[in-house]
Structures are given as C-alpha cells and as structure tokens.
Amino acid sequence: MERLRSSPLHANISTALDKHLEAIQVVQARRKDEIVNASSRQRHGPPRCQDERVVLALAAALRALCQATRKVRTVLWCAFQMSLPK
C-alpha cells in the first residue's frame, strides 16, 4: 500500500501489525506450553492446578490475539481506503 501511495503510511499501522505478530507468537508459545504440560501429565499423573494455569494463560493469549486481529483489520481497511485513487 505504501508503494501505491508513494508515501509512507501512518506509524500506527506498523505498530498494529507488530502487535498482531507479537500476539500470534504469544499464542504459539502458550500452545506449546499446553502441549508439553499435557504430555508430561500423561506420564506422571494429574497435577490439576498447573494444568488450569496453562489453559488460562492460553485463553488470555487468545483474547489478546482476538483484540489485536480486530485492530489490525480496521487499520488495514483504513490504509486501503487511503491508498485508493481519488
């Protein structure tokens, strides 16, 4: 879109994209923690409290990803509208 406009876009657009990428990486890390915890639980028995904390951390990361996705969709729509010819 910057190429279409021949000028840089607003800094908030880059920030929103960076936050979205960061939220994706956090969800991936929490999911990996959940998988590791589930596999260790099968070997050693059920440590229930820690398992719940891992699932709650994943849920919080998914919530943050959902919010970041909404923001980045809005920002990209605005950037697209600004890049259209008048």
Side-chain angles (χ1 to χ4, degrees), residues 20-82:
H20 187 252
L21 179 61
E22 182 181 323
I24 290 170
Q25 292 168 344
V26 169
V27 168
Q28 288 174 338
R30 297 297 175 257
R31 181 69 176 124
K32 188 181 290 185
D33 292 343
E34 183 190 25
I35 291 169
V36 167
N37 189 23
S39 66
S40 67
R41 184 178 55 151
Q42 287 178 350
R43 284 184 248 155
H44 300 294
R48 187 78 175 164
C49 185
Q50 185 178 6
D51 186 38
E52 289 175 1
R53 277 187 261 145
V54 171
V55 172
L56 289 175
L58 177 61
L62 285 171
R63 182 180 302 123
L65 177 61
C66 182
Q67 291 171 348
T69 301
R70 273 190 246 128
K71 285 181 184 179
V72 83
R73 285 176 59 198
T74 301
V75 164
L76 288 175
W77 181 84
C78 291
F80 174 68
Q81 293 298 316
M82 292 186 327

